[in-house]
Amino acid sequence: MLQQISIFTANQKGALSKITAILEKNNINIYTMLATDSAEFGIVRLITDDAEKSEKALKDAGYQCRLDRIIAVDMASDKPGTLNHILADLNDANVMIRYLYISFDRQTGTPIAVFNTNDSETETFLRGKGYKLLGTL
């Protein structure tokens, strides 16, 4: 099971560097990071080398955050249509994707689809379809 830290933060200059400084101070490595914003706040999604340690360090620093279970699918290829095939299979199974972003395998350079869904059986479904799911990045 792969866990992601979702952090709610002010949408202001320097907000991201404050978060990364906390992680650096606690010797936590960031594998992937996505920051989105609205008018007043941002949501930062992180996958690190230690999700629980990251959550504790950020909460101790006063951040509102939580751990989310996410799915990471090794796309195995960077060819056009690879992501579409994954999404079409999920759509055919009536799985709603709450959010998705792309990361990369640091060893092979192949893309990884990282997403959160509304269905607890999504991992089982994807494995049954032959997709390789990752437990770490």
Side-chain angles (χ1 to χ4, degrees):
M1 175 174 75
L2 194 55
Q3 291 185 314
Q4 167 190 271
I5 303 97
S6 294
I7 308 152
F8 300 93
T9 185
N11 189 12
Q12 61 189 25
K13 181 180 174 184
L16 293 176
S17 65
K18 289 177 185 176
I19 291 169
T20 58
I22 292 164
L23 297 175
E24 178 186 24
K25 180 181 174 185
N26 287 275
N27 199 34
I28 297 168
N29 194 18
I30 300 169
Y31 290 147
T32 192
M33 179 178 191
L34 172 70
T36 58
D37 72 335
S38 69
E40 297 177 17
F41 69 93
I43 299 175
V44 178
R45 301 183 199 287
L46 296 169
I47 299 174
T48 67
D49 60 350
D50 190 328
E52 288 84 12
K53 183 178 176 183
S54 302
E55 180 189 36
K56 181 179 180 339
L58 291 162
K59 282 186 174 182
D60 287 351
Y63 284 93
Q64 180 184 359
C65 55
R66 68 172 190 262
L67 290 180
D68 294 311
R69 187 172 175 200
I70 54 153
I71 298 170
V73 177
D74 182 346
M75 293 174 56
S77 162
D78 199 17
K79 294 179 184 173
T82 303
L83 179 60
N84 184 57
H85 291 282
I86 297 168
L87 296 177
D89 284 340
L90 291 170
N91 187 55
D92 289 346
N94 276 335
V95 175
M96 184 189 86
I97 296 172
R98 291 187 177 122
Y99 57 83
L100 178 143
Y101 55 97
I102 303 294
S103 187
F104 285 88
D105 183 303
R106 292 175 182 222
Q107 302 297 320
T108 66
T110 58
I112 299 167
V114 179
F115 55 93
N116 182 281
T117 73
N118 66 337
D119 190 333
S120 62
E121 298 297 317
T122 303
E123 287 184 31
T124 303
F125 169 77
L126 288 168
R127 282 192 185 97
K129 294 291 267 182
Y131 292 105
K132 178 181 174 187
L133 276 58
L134 304 174
T136 186
L137 295 185

